[in-house]
Amino acid sequence: MKQFLVIIILVVFGCKNSNEVQPVEEIEPIESIETDLEIYDFEGLKPFLNQEDDKIHVVNFWATWCAPCVKELPYFETVNRNYADKNVEVLLVSLDFPRQYDTKLKPFLKKEQLNSKVICFDDIDQNTWIPAIDKDWSGAIPATLIYKNGKRKFYEGSFTMENLEAELKNFLN
Amino acid sequence: MIAVVICMVTLSAFTMSTEDEGYSVGDIATDFKLENIDGKMVSLSDYEQAKGFIVVFTCNTCPYAVAYEDRIVALDKKYASKDYPVIAIMPNDTDVMPGDNMKAMQARAKAKGFTFPYLMDKGQKIYPQYGATKTPHVYVLEKTRKGNEVKYIGAIDDNYKDAAAVKTKYVENAVDALLSGKEVEQKETRAIGCSIKVK
């Protein structure tokens, strides 16, 4: 995949800047500027779901292709903004298809300028990690995990602003 | 203290209600009478020869469902002749998802060469009984004396990205086991999908 990406970038930049194909080493910094995505497999994601730091973590699983997910993103953004001083942190975990990182996800992030942290989660072994994240999660998105240290609750489905704040308040005391 | 009790009651009520929703393996699945893309009504009971069914809740608009279209067609090609036909049901509310309306379903079925019924869950009465939450969501049913018994619930296979890289074909394994009179080994699997759209 990475090689593929490098090839694409090589092609794109090759066309734009010069007809010469540049060596990979020189391309890499450009790639890191272009692709500021953090991409994790399940092992990499796990620490984000199990932080014991007295903060309230709101972890939302979403994708640009998921209309109800996109609809509720502003609510998570509001929470991230309005509750930052109450130790609440929002993490938006994108389940976008890797082949659409460049065509869909990056343009979306550029346009929306989200203030919450966004990471990409790409792990093919769904049958393992879905029940590991929550035993009752069927795999439908949107889905959200709220946790603080050992206390956690998982929500499969859409939130309204009111519902999200109400659930958050259960963790604020 | 009262707040804690209320919270616990709410939590347990929430848990119980989710457990009550939909079928588990071993349950008898309801039949239905739903409109197909050709305007005719289709029920499981129409299939007198069938030994069972591969019921797939799917739609036009979900990228995961789209990724599996060719594989759903392949399932029907392989198993309809073995009396395990595919029955596809589109569960979304079409006001919310106009791309899943009957015209769009007809167009997609034609474009992809669907060889199986593609039914509209009009009024959204059927998918909640099955407990489908997303597209695609598969239920393999075996026709028994008690009725159509749920034998497998979950994903089609273990690689949504790449059909060529699939390691385990969950649905094929389940149907193969049933066809040879064996127990289905992997009865439930999970996969990411698009939530079923309601108003």
Side-chain angles (χ1 to χ4, degrees), chain A residues 8-74:
Chain A
I8 286 183
I9 285 160
L10 272 171
V11 170
V12 168
F13 280 87
C15 295
K16 268 187 189 164
N17 299 338
S18 70
N19 292 326
E20 261 175 61
V21 177
Q22 297 177 41
V24 173
E25 298 88 78
E26 283 182 43
I27 292 298
E28 268 179 347
I30 298 167
E31 183 193 8
S32 68
I33 294 164
E34 282 284 293
T35 61
D36 51 351
L37 299 177
E38 287 180 43
I39 305 162
Y40 298 95
D41 62 5
F42 186 46
E43 278 310 308
L45 180 72
K46 269 184 191 169
F48 290 102
L49 310 181
N50 297 288
Q51 302 189 67
E52 303 250 346
D53 55 4
D54 298 325
K55 280 187 187 164
I56 299 165
H57 293 273
V58 180
V59 183
N60 173 244
F61 294 88
W62 71 290
T64 57
W65 48 257
C66 165
C69 303
V70 171
K71 191 181 164 196
E72 66 178 15
L73 280 183

Side-chain angles (χ1 to χ4, degrees), chain A residues 65 68 97-98 122 124 126-127 129-131 134-135 137-142 153 156, chain B residues 11 62-64 133-134 158-161 170 186 188-195 197:
Chain A
W65 48 257
F97 302 96
D122 177 34
I124 205 70
Q126 299 183 341
N127 193 39
W129 60 256
I130 291 170
D134 186 84
K135 66 176 175 56
W137 187 12
S138 79
I141 58 169
K153 196 168 172 192
E156 178 172 331
Chain B
L11 272 176
C62 173
Y64 270 86
T133 57
K134 60 191 160 62
D158 66 356
N159 195 325
Y160 71 92
K161 270 195 234 173
Y170 303 129
Q186 205 160 8
E188 274 188 69
T189 59
R190 312 271 184 101
I192 292 293
C194 307
S195 58
K197 304 299 183 290

Side-chain angles (χ1 to χ4, degrees), chain B residues 28-66:
Chain B
I28 301 301
T30 187
D31 201 350
F32 41 74
K33 197 169 186 184
L34 297 175
E35 189 180 358
N36 195 8
I37 43 174
D38 62 4
K40 291 181 183 144
M41 302 303 280
V42 172
S43 299
L44 297 178
S45 59
D46 300 339
Y47 292 76
E48 287 173 15
Q49 292 292 316
K51 291 175 184 157
F53 302 93
I54 303 169
V55 176
V56 186
F57 291 91
T58 188
C59 68
N60 288 354
T61 52
C62 173
Y64 270 86
V66 170

Side-chain angles (χ1 to χ4, degrees), chain B residues 169-184:
Chain B
K169 298 181 172 180
Y170 303 129
V171 168
E172 289 202 20
N173 289 352
V175 178
D176 286 343
L178 293 169
L179 282 171
S180 54
K182 287 181 192 149
E183 184 87 351
V184 175

